[in-house]
Amino acid sequence: MCGILCCYKCQCIDNKRLLNRGPDHQSSFTTSSNVKLAAYILHVQGHSKQPVAREKKIMLFNGQIFTFDKELYSSDTEGLFNSLVNFGVLKSVEETQGPNAVIFYDEHTDELWFWRDYFGRRSLLIAHEGDGFILCSVGDSERQWHEVPAGGVFCLKGGGNNGKSYHVTCHAYQGRRDTCADFASQLFKSVSIAQVG
């Protein structure tokens, strides 16, 4: 199991617990728009490097994908990232199966996408930090963490004023509209709910 961390428009944290989740490879990427993404990798299948970045799109991934042709891609990470860049987030989520938690940042649109698979088999937490947010696969005792529900795909945009001027859209999984709405309204002032698929 890997550790993933995203500091969105805030001072980044030093979460030593992540080292235990990914002792084989650690790497980070910071964008010009004050978004830092860091990965702590445990090599179970393949030797993918993260964060993956191309064309101002950056991805962190923890999990497995069962629906990619293993002959086309050297890892699930490569397959998912190519799908996100070529087909978009919602189409890619519809087409993938397997336990996963994903963070995907598009610097062109300043959109931060994050989700867990329908069954929530990989952890992903979120906490306020200054005027921004931190997403992480394992929390610390210094913040009030909220578990990202396995309710849909979340898209965060905006900034400032301790999260009050952010807007989040939740693209709910079938039958999970209320889960999406409850979670989003706890953390964000401006919320939209849509449906995946």
Side-chain angles (χ1 to χ4, degrees):
M1 190 169 301
C2 301
I4 57 178
L5 168 70
C6 175
C7 301
Y8 184 72
K9 303 194 178 188
C10 63
Q11 181 67 32
C12 210
I13 63 171
D14 182 23
N15 190 336
K16 292 182 181 17
R17 292 181 183 183
L18 287 167
L19 290 172
N20 296 330
R21 293 177 69 105
D24 295 330
H25 174 78
Q26 294 88 38
S27 183
S28 66
F29 186 94
T30 303
T31 71
S32 60
S33 51
N34 194 25
V35 178
K36 179 178 180 179
L37 297 103
Y40 302 79
I41 307 298
L42 173 65
H43 293 304
V44 178
Q45 297 178 357
H47 289 277
S48 62
K49 303 280 189 209
Q50 291 192 51
V52 183
R54 185 174 80 222
E55 299 170 15
K56 295 199 171 235
K57 297 175 187 337
I58 306 106
M59 183 192 78
L60 294 169
F61 167 72
N62 177 21
Q64 291 179 283
I65 303 293
F66 304 138
T67 49
F68 290 129
D69 184 346
K70 302 298 181 195
E71 293 183 20
L72 290 177
Y73 302 107
S74 63
S75 68
D76 292 343
T77 302
E78 180 189 355
L80 179 59
F81 185 70
N82 282 328
S83 180
L84 291 167
V85 169
N86 294 324
F87 304 110
V89 172
L90 299 177
K91 181 72 171 166
S92 297
V93 171
E94 285 179 41
E95 306 267 323
T96 56
Q97 295 177 6
N100 63 79
V102 181
I103 300 170
F104 181 73
Y105 179 64
D106 186 334
E107 195 169 7
H108 289 293
T109 61
D110 193 27
E111 292 176 329
L112 179 69
W113 296 81
F114 55 97
W115 66 93
R116 295 168 65 207
D117 70 88
Y118 185 85
F119 298 106
R121 295 171 284 186
R122 294 292 185 265
S123 64
L124 190 59
L125 307 170
I126 188 169
H128 282 279
E129 182 71 15
D131 284 342
F133 290 90
I134 297 174
L135 286 156
C136 193
S137 51
V138 62
D140 59 23
S141 59
E142 298 174 29
R143 286 157 194 82
Q144 182 179 357
W145 294 96
H146 302 270
E147 183 175 41
V148 173
V153 179
F154 297 89
C155 179
L156 178 63
K157 190 168 183 165
N161 199 15
N162 200 22
K164 292 182 176 60
S165 63
Y166 286 97
H167 179 81
V168 69
T169 301
C170 177
H171 301 271
Y173 296 143
Q174 186 172 358
R176 304 275 174 93
R177 189 176 184 92
D178 290 344
T179 303
C180 253
D182 291 346
F183 166 76
S185 62
Q186 286 178 26
L187 288 171
F188 306 100
K189 185 176 181 182
S190 179
V191 174
S192 301
I193 308 297
Q195 194 75 34
V196 172

